[in-house]
Amino acid sequence: MAAQNHIPPRSVWLETYGCQMNIADSQLVTAVLRRAGYAAAARPEDADVILLNTCAIREHAEERIIGRLGDLARLKQARPGMRLGLLGCMAQHNRAALIEKAPWLDLIAGPDSYRRLPEMLGAERFDPAIDVRLNRGETYGDLAPEYEAGVRAYVTAMRGCDKFCAFCVVPYVRGRERSVAPDDILREVRGLAAAGVREIVLLGQTVNAYRAGETGFAALLRNVAGVAGIERIRFTSPHPSDMTPELIETMASEPKVQPYLHLPVQSGSDRVLAAMERGYTAGEYLALVARLRAAIPELALSTDIIVGFHGEQDDDFRATVELMRTVGYDSAFTFKYSVREHTRAFRLGDSVGEEEKGRRLSEIIALQESISRERNRALIGREFPVLVEGPARRGGGILAGKTPQFKTAVFPGHPEIAPGATVRVRVESATAHSLSCALA
Ligand code: SAH
Ligand code: SF4
Ligand code: F3S
């Protein structure tokens, strides 16, 4: 066994949990390791190195990863030369507990340590390595991630977050806000366009807080829109406080920027929003939605909502229900509040019981389902340009793609329609989650 420790491992299996930003980071990690001579393993059982890129946003996310680690620990027992590492937000969040509870982990690396992975993994004599130093200067801007081939690519524009919402671990696990230099982003986007990508999604936890020298987010969007071959631009997630008039104007006037916004509200109650330290009231949020809709009439909106935050009373929850009805979101991601260590709300407590959280969650899931269905049915008979992605999951020669509003459209295939093409479709029927269309 000792001899194995001197052979640099060559194949790697990487699993990714969490948000788009983690998916983008995994593409970066893949590129870093590829350059250091690693190849992708076909299955975890064959890999010399197994890495999990993890999420810490809610307790449930961490529990899932701990379960998976248990499976992999057994695999490692059978193959002692294999190295098992934890990357990402949970590595950063739980390093102390992990060192204690999972001593068989060979590597713990936080989101700012990926440059050092080959060094950490490839040491002549391997010693377990931990690097969870956050680095407010690290943007990885000079490193080209290894993108998965497709018509859409997610490009990191900014890292970290400075908002410190009371419930959220992101500022603690991802560190201070920093923007990737516009030249690095544009080089990346040009390369992607040349490789056949047609749609760019700019990423950041508060992506519209982007600022690099003189370049703010609206200017960045215009620069990306200038890249030939890129037809559609989106971004996620914007923070309501950073939706400047200039950004709204750019969304309205730049045809490549698509009419869809994921605009997390979290709650409809001013009292809860203040306790969450979100930086806006429900009235301010609704006024922003009105300004957006006035400027971009075809705008689709989605959101994130947390139910059962500490201190949320029934009338606070009713205010959230009311706000959802008022806005009429196209879709919503809904969560039960999960207390997170290190956050400002950690000490406040968790006043709403699990059962009540579940009840509130079910109510808004059902409400959103009916709103989504209604909004999609209202589109029957309308025509949209759809960027073709490939075969639909349902098979049978059906193709799928997205409308400008980021709704999934499915339609019959045709030998001349290839991924990357834009086709015109007419909506024939609709569910809460997709539009069934005919070619127009
Ligand atoms: N940066 C984004 C959100 C990133 S996290 C923004 O500010 O809008 C994605 C979503 O997870 C959040 O919008 C929130 O709804 C949810 N979330 C974050 N922390 C949570 C917690 N402690 N419990 C439950 N949901 C949480
Ligand atoms: Fe978390 Fe708030 Fe930052 Fe979003 S803006 S990542 S919710 S702290
Ligand atoms: Fe999770 Fe980290 Fe994203 S905590 S939601 S993977 S930024």
Side-chain angles (χ1 to χ4, degrees), residues 307 314 317 352-361:
V307 296
D314 197 55
F317 173 66
V352 184
E354 198 49 33
E355 214 172 298
E356 181 57 21
K357 282 182 191 171
R359 205 196 59 70
R360 292 179 189 178
L361 187 70

Side-chain angles (χ1 to χ4, degrees), residues 147-391:
Y147 292 97
E148 272 155 37
V151 299
R152 177 182 309 115
Y154 292 82
V155 175
T156 303
M158 52 124 16
R159 304 183 65 86
C161 181
D162 281 355
K163 293 282 193 281
F164 289 91
C165 303
F167 52 80
C168 183
V169 289
V170 169
Y172 304 92
V173 297
R174 294 232 154 209
R176 295 289 60 72
E177 183 181 296
R178 69 216 90 135
S179 296
V180 183
D183 288 350
D184 288 332
I185 296 174
L186 288 171
R187 193 188 52 242
E188 211 53 54
V189 170
R190 280 189 211 107
L192 287 164
V197 167
R198 294 292 161 257
E199 178 171 303
I200 296 291
V201 187
L202 294 171
L203 289 181
Q205 285 296 357
T206 54
V207 69
N208 52 341
Y210 180 92
R211 175 149 292 279
E214 292 296 290
T215 310
F217 190 63
L220 179 69
L221 285 180
R222 287 193 297 270
N223 288 344
V224 174
V227 176
I230 297 303
E231 294 168 10
R232 294 181 168 196
I233 302 166
R234 308 180 187 278
F235 53 92
T236 197
S237 290
H239 192 282
S241 309
D242 295 313
M243 284 307 301
T244 61
E246 190 196 1
L247 175 54
I248 298 174
E249 206 285 313
T250 303
M251 287 188 74
S253 62
E254 173 47 62
K256 289 186 184 178
V257 179
Q258 300 297 294
Y260 165 63
L261 214 50
H262 179 66
L263 196 63
V265 66
Q266 314 299 359
S267 169
S269 152
D270 286 345
R271 193 162 31 144
V272 172
L273 285 169
M276 287 176 163
E277 300 181 55
R278 281 292 287 181
Y280 52 82
T281 62
E284 285 163 350
Y285 181 94
L286 290 171
L288 172 62
V289 167
R291 281 201 302 282
L292 282 161
R293 284 184 163 153
I296 310 150
E298 295 278 335
L299 186 72
L301 282 171
S302 62
T303 199
D304 290 342
I305 290 172
I306 297 176
V307 296
F309 185 66
H310 174 74
E312 185 184 79
Q313 308 282 333
D314 197 55
D315 56 340
D316 297 311
F317 173 66
R318 305 285 13 134
T320 298
V321 168
E322 209 34 55
L323 180 135
M324 291 174 73
R325 286 215 175 91
T326 306
V327 175
Y329 291 105
D330 291 273
S331 63
F333 299 87
T334 49
F335 310 101
K336 289 193 267 187
Y337 175 52
S338 169
V339 178
R340 304 277 64 206
E341 210 176 329
H342 307 310
T343 62
R344 290 184 185 170
F346 180 65
R347 270 170 213 85
L348 297 177
D350 195 7
S351 67
V352 184
E354 198 49 33
E355 214 172 298
E356 181 57 21
K357 282 182 191 171
R359 205 196 59 70
R360 292 179 189 178
L361 187 70
S362 307
E363 181 175 336
I364 61 169
I365 289 174
L367 170 63
Q368 186 55 49
E369 185 84 4
S370 75
I371 296 173
S372 298
R373 194 181 311 113
E374 203 179 304
R375 289 188 68 82
N376 285 349
R377 283 199 182 147
L379 302 175
I380 293 172
R382 293 271 315 271
E383 291 186 9
F384 294 99
V386 167
L387 177 63
V388 181
E389 289 170 29

Side-chain angles (χ1 to χ4, degrees), residues 45-66:
E45 292 79 2
D46 302 332
D48 298 306
V49 177
I50 297 184
L51 300 174
L52 303 189
N53 189 7
T54 62
C55 174
I57 200 80
R58 284 168 291 273
E59 199 178 344
H60 178 70
E62 293 193 341
E63 282 165 358
R64 242 183 98 204
I65 292 159
I66 287 170

